[in-house]
Amino acid sequence: QVQLVESGGGLVQPGGSLRLSCVASGTIFSLYAMGWYRQVPGNQRELVATISTGGSTKYADSVKGRFTISRDFAKNTVYLQMNSLKPEDTAVYYCNARWGTINFWGQGTQVTASS
C-alpha cells in the first residue's frame, strides 16, 4: 500500500509563495509518475502539475510560469513550489502517485491566498 503525506499548506497573502511537499512510502518511488491536483468545494478535482519518472513536467495553463514541480528520488519526495499566488489558487491540494491505471492520493493540504 502506498502512503502519501502532504505538508506545507497554509495562509499566504496574494503575491506570496508556498512550497508543498509530498513524501511517499510503501512503494518504489521511482516507478511512479507524480502529480499535484487541487479541488475547491463544489468543483471537480483539477490537475495542477505532473512529473514523469524521467522528469518530464506538465502544468495547467493557469499556473504556468508561477508553479514548479520537482522530485527528489533520494527522499521519496515530490515538491510544488508556488510563487505569485492568487486568490483563485485557493484550494485543497492533493498529491497523486500513478503507475499505469493505478492511482494513490494523499489526504490533502489547504492552501489559502487571501489578504
Side-chain angles (χ1 to χ4, degrees), residues 1-48:
Q1 182 73 12
V2 176
Q3 289 187 323
L4 303 173
V5 180
E6 300 109 330
S7 62
L11 173 65
V12 64
Q13 290 192 341
S17 299
L18 284 173
R19 188 176 81 155
L20 305 183
S21 300
C22 171
V23 179
S25 61
T27 187
I28 303 174
F29 180 68
S30 60
L31 292 178
Y32 288 79
M34 302 297 295
W36 288 96
Y37 292 71
R38 65 188 182 187
Q39 188 170 21
V40 175
N43 290 3
Q44 286 190 335
R45 193 170 295 186
E46 64 176 11
L47 180 147
V48 176

Side-chain angles (χ1 to χ4, degrees), residues 96-114:
N96 170 264
R98 180 176 57 82
W99 183 24
T101 60
I102 301 173
N103 280 277
F104 295 96
W105 295 93
Q107 81 287 353
T109 185
Q110 176 71 45
V111 171
T112 303
S114 174

